[in-house]
Amino acid sequence: MDLGAIIQRIQQLPAQAQAILLRSLKLSDIEYTPAGAVLVAIQLLCLLDIPRTIDQLLGEEHTSVEALKADYDRGKRPVPSTGMVLSILIADMLAYPKHLTRIYKIEEMAHLWKTGPLLGICPTVLNDDRILRALSALGQAGTVMEETLHLLAIHTSERFSIPLTRFFIDTSLLELDGEFAKAAKVTLGRGRDSMSQLLVSLTCAAGSRIPVAFAVNAGNTNDGTTFSSAFAAIERIASPDPVEIIMDRAFPTAGNVALLQEQSRECYFIAPLKTEKAGNKFKSIVEKIWEEDSWKPINFRSAEEIRRKLERMHSAYETQWVLVQETKPELKSGQTRRPKGSIIRKEVPVRCVIYRDGRRAEQEKQARLRQRQALDDVLNEFAGKINKRKLTTVQSCQEKVQEVCKPFSAVNSFVELSFGVNTHGAVVFSWDWDETAYAKEEQYDGIFALLTTHPASSVSANELLKRYRNRNEIEMDFSGLRGILDLEQVFLQLPERIDAYIFLKILAYFVLAFLRWYAQEHGYKKVTEEQVQDALSKMGICMQELLPLHIPHWSVSTEKGLSQWFRATFNLPDPHDEIQRLNQLVDKDEIIRRWFQNVLDGQIVLE
């Protein structure tokens, strides 16, 4: 604060007012505001050309932040484009870890963010009606959201040399709170607590983890049916090299795999087999492997095992698995059964590698033993309660014991329960363990399988597992979307606004994933998206007032580490220069004049 200039101006006042004012001058407590974080976030969004891309696809004229500020400085109140309005929401997502601002509070927060002088956007323009209309415009405009993400991924990849040959596809079920009567796709829950659910499909580039495609589907959508649209997005964006897709167990259906095999380019996939649904067919293969002692050791070790210097304990077995998909015609009027031969079966054979993790096998064995011991204890306790109160009949005891055994799913199928009635009419109870079946279960401990179209000659069982284990990247993406961007916080009612709001969170995560990748590529090896967001969020500004005049002065409060490195690396505007704009707008002479005028008017009494 330029105290010298202020004091010189005060010395022009009458002597009595001058003396009292100089004697009472003091600085107020420092107030922190988040304007710096939002300012940096907007700069990053403009760096990636997000506001302009949205406006161009919506057919709107785009006005840059610099042009908006120039108009604002000339006393105008420019109307920001839809892309700029939505970017304010994204900036809030980037700048506020786990505390996203509700839409009806954005205008209030915009006053703290100083969007007028810093961004050329008057806070009153950011009222909830304007923001909701912007969300509707984005959500209703056909494929604008998908095209925005496509162009963003293409341009970012070309500009920063991000590889686009390997991809991860997954879905996540969102459990929403609230009433969604106007959003038909928000459906009743399927086997979970929430009654309102959406299914979000996400496709990310391996390594960088930047989102390249997304879709918001009805909560009751079958995950596997989302593959074709995700693959279409991959086809548009992938480089001419062979494509590899790593996906969840819901996706490798016969139809989806056939789709990949029909492509003119080389397209490969890796996905786990649903062993629990493969049933006896899969178990018989595992039994055969043990009988023939066909397990082959492989060199795979997880990152944790390497760090702890643990020995290799994985083995593998190569085989083939046939995926089968049935297409059933709709029943015609009056039909109760489909005509013989009308059901079309599609069979697609694929390579299957069955793995055994020796370390996990031992853990599962010990966990099952603990469950067995616990179930024995529970059954002993139950035996002491029969013939009392409500447990006086065989039927009541049988019903109750089923309830007692239910939590022990890993072992309850191996226990044989017996009930009877003795000569005195009392219920008798005993149980025995099927030791043969219990011992045989060890064969399946630590077992899992991967399906793939990669030939064994080019991708070994060891390499296949290594590539699949990288799939946790997309798990981390969904974790980040849920954790640092509150993916399930959706308080909108209209379906197009729900879609658009979720999309903005994916754009925010695109920025965080890109910054994390870029930092890792340049030496920040262990940085995470959460740390990037934390670094951005700490870039605030401080304000102090010179009392009793209430002359404000702003300064940058925090700028160090990653946020400073990003600014220097991407040549972003200096926040110190931007914040100085706030100070230049303060008319100190006018404030001092008004103070003295209040003295003359008797509103301020000089003592």
Side-chain angles (χ1 to χ4, degrees):
M1 187 177 293
D2 190 358
L3 290 176
I6 294 174
I7 290 174
Q8 285 182 357
R9 178 66 184 86
I10 291 174
Q11 288 173 342
Q12 298 175 17
L13 297 175
Q16 182 185 8
Q18 177 187 147
I20 292 175
L21 183 54
L22 288 173
R23 190 169 62 243
S24 61
L25 286 180
K26 64 177 182 178
L27 291 173
S28 69
D29 293 335
I30 295 176
E31 294 182 10
Y32 172 87
T33 65
V38 174
L39 172 63
V40 171
I42 288 290
Q43 291 171 351
L44 288 167
L45 292 172
C46 292
L47 168 74
L48 297 174
D49 220 19
I50 291 176
R52 183 187 300 274
T53 300
I54 292 174
D55 288 336
Q56 287 178 341
L57 290 172
L58 287 174
E60 292 189 24
E61 181 179 351
H62 177 76
T63 306
S64 67
V65 171
E66 291 71 22
L68 289 171
K69 287 193 294 186
D71 283 346
Y72 187 88
D73 290 346
R74 288 194 290 267
K76 297 181 180 180
R77 291 297 177 262
V79 178
S81 63
T82 298
M84 286 305 304
V85 170
L86 296 175
S87 292
I88 293 291
L89 294 183
I90 302 173
D92 173 61
M93 296 170 185
L94 293 171
Y96 287 92
K98 303 177 184 178
H99 296 288
L100 303 189
T101 304
R102 299 286 287 271
I103 287 174
Y104 68 88
K105 301 254 317 167
I106 291 290
E107 180 180 353
E108 177 185 331
M109 291 300 294
H111 286 279
L112 291 176
W113 298 338
K114 306 298 178 185
T115 59
L118 294 182
L119 300 175
I121 301 174
C122 184
T124 55
V125 174
L126 298 173
N127 56 68
D128 55 353
D129 179 65
R130 177 71 178 89
I131 292 172
L132 290 173
R133 282 190 285 114
L135 286 170
S136 290
L138 181 64
Q140 290 174 336
T143 60
V144 165
M145 291 183 290
E146 291 81 359
E147 197 66 19
T148 297
L149 190 55
H150 169 76
L151 292 175
L152 179 59
I154 286 286
H155 294 161
T156 306
S157 171
E158 292 175 348
R159 184 175 177 185
F160 298 99
S161 300
I162 297 176
L164 294 176
T165 55
R166 300 180 66 238
F167 302 90
F168 299 93
I169 301 177
D170 203 356
T171 57
S172 184
L173 203 61
L174 303 191
E175 297 182 297
L176 309 179
D177 293 322
E179 298 293 331
F180 297 92
K182 297 179 181 179
K185 66 167 61 175
V186 182
T187 59
L188 296 180
R190 49 176 184 179
R192 301 176 76 172
D193 295 335
S194 172
M195 294 296 286
S196 302
Q197 295 180 353
L198 284 171
L199 186 78
V200 174
S201 170
L202 188 63
T203 304
C204 296
S208 64
R209 298 216 304 266
I210 60 169
V212 299
F214 93 108
V216 181
N217 306 282
N220 57 2
T221 303
N222 182 293
D223 301 53
T225 61
T226 65
F227 177 80
S228 58
S229 59
F231 179 69
I234 289 174
E235 272 286 273
R236 289 186 66 201
I237 203 171
S239 61
D241 301 313
V243 168
E244 180 181 80
I245 302 172
I246 300 177
M247 49 197 183
D248 192 16
R249 64 190 63 218
F251 293 101
T253 64
N256 289 341
V257 174
L259 176 65
L260 291 178
Q261 294 175 332
E262 292 164 1
Q263 303 303 311
S264 57
R265 72 153 78 207
E266 293 180 73
C267 296
Y268 303 103
F269 85 93
I270 304 173
L273 172 67
K274 287 185 176 181
T275 55
E276 67 280 3
K277 288 195 174 182
N280 292 332
K281 178 183 175 182
F282 181 75
K283 285 191 171 185
S284 65
I285 296 175
V286 174
E287 291 168 9
K288 182 180 177 182
I289 300 172
W290 284 108
E291 289 171 4
E292 299 178 354
D293 192 20
S294 300
W295 291 112
K296 303 294 183 184
I298 60 174
N299 292 325
F300 178 83
R301 284 192 299 168
S302 67
E304 175 68 12
E305 288 169 339
I306 293 173
R307 187 184 67 79
R308 295 173 58 190
K309 299 180 179 179
L310 300 175
E311 63 178 312
R312 296 174 175 84
M313 295 193 68
H314 282 78
S315 50
Y317 176 81
E318 293 273 355
T319 187
Q320 187 182 74
W321 191 263
V322 178
L323 297 169
V324 179
Q325 183 169 315
E326 291 186 345
T327 303
K328 299 179 179 180
E330 294 290 334
L331 289 173
K332 296 179 181 179
S333 177
Q335 281 187 332
T336 57
R337 296 181 61 184
R338 294 178 178 85
K340 187 176 181 180
S342 64
I343 299 177
I344 301 173
R345 289 170 56 89
K346 177 184 288 186
E347 295 188 353
V348 179
V350 294
R351 177 185 172 200
C352 176
V353 183
I354 302 175
Y355 295 90
R356 183 175 186 272
D357 181 345
R359 210 176 318 279
R360 196 173 83 179
E362 182 61 27
Q363 292 170 353
E364 291 177 2
K365 176 182 176 180
Q366 294 302 319
R368 188 166 56 253
L369 178 59
R370 288 192 294 272
Q371 272 214 11
R372 174 173 176 166
Q373 293 168 344
L375 181 54
D376 267 327
D377 292 340
V378 167
L379 291 176
N380 272 314
E381 182 181 354
F382 173 77
K385 294 179 179 179
I386 62 175
N387 297 307
K388 299 176 182 177
R389 298 183 180 178
K390 296 182 179 180
L391 300 177
T392 56
T393 66
V394 169
Q395 182 178 352
S396 62
C397 290
Q398 287 176 330
E399 292 173 354
K400 183 64 178 177
V401 81
Q402 294 301 321
E403 180 183 329
V404 166
C405 292
K406 190 173 182 179
F408 303 93
S409 57
V411 296
N412 56 25
S413 61
F414 305 117
V415 68
E416 298 174 353
L417 308 174
S418 298
F419 288 94
V421 179
N422 64 17
T423 56
H424 302 289
V427 178
V428 292
F429 169 58
S430 63
W431 68 96
D432 290 299
W433 288 91
D434 185 341
E435 299 294 352
T436 302
Y438 182 86
K440 188 177 180 180
E441 188 67 14
E442 287 186 24
Q443 292 185 114
Y444 315 116
D445 288 341
I447 301 291
F448 60 98
L450 294 179
L451 302 179
T452 185
T453 45
H454 279 298
S457 58
S458 60
V459 180
S460 67
N462 190 72
E463 176 64 19
L464 191 71
L465 181 55
K466 182 179 178 181
R467 293 188 188 186
Y468 177 72
R469 286 295 175 92
N470 289 333
R471 183 185 167 277
N472 66 353
E473 290 183 11
I474 197 166
E475 297 291 346
M476 294 170 68
D477 281 356
F478 271 123
S479 177
L481 281 164
R482 291 178 184 278
I484 59 180
L485 292 174
D486 279 341
L487 184 60
E488 292 182 337
Q489 178 185 296
V490 178
F491 299 105
L492 301 163
Q493 297 298 315
L494 297 182
E496 66 271 13
R497 291 175 180 173
I498 292 173
D499 291 358
Y501 190 61
I502 291 174
F503 174 61
L504 295 187
K505 295 189 180 189
I506 289 172
L507 288 183
Y509 194 80
F510 185 104
V511 176
L512 293 175
F514 163 72
L515 293 176
R516 186 267 314 151
W517 172 83
Y518 196 86
Q520 288 181 344
E521 290 290 301
H522 291 81
Y524 291 82
K525 296 300 182 184
K526 295 185 178 181
V527 72
T528 65
E529 285 84 359
E530 188 169 8
Q531 289 170 336
V532 170
Q533 188 189 41
D534 188 54
L536 296 178
S537 69
K538 289 181 178 177
M539 219 302 285
I541 65 173
C542 291
M543 191 273 285
Q544 274 188 299
E545 288 187 324
L546 183 64
L547 303 176
L549 295 171
H550 295 287
I551 295 177
H553 178 80
W554 286 272
S555 61
V556 176
S557 64
T558 307
E559 198 212 7
K560 58 183 180 180
L562 275 176
S563 62
Q564 192 172 34
W565 182 78
F566 286 136
R567 181 173 67 80
T569 301
F570 297 125
N571 196 28
L572 299 176
D574 190 331
H576 296 82
D577 296 339
E578 295 296 305
I579 299 304
Q580 190 59 31
R581 289 170 52 84
L582 296 175
N583 295 320
Q584 292 171 353
L585 293 174
V586 177
D587 190 340
K588 302 177 183 63
D589 287 346
E590 175 62 19
I591 292 175
I592 294 171
R593 188 197 67 76
R594 286 204 311 267
W595 180 86
F596 185 62
Q597 185 63 49
N598 288 334
V599 171
L600 296 178
D601 294 343
Q603 297 180 29
I604 297 177
V605 179
L606 299 179
E607 297 179 357

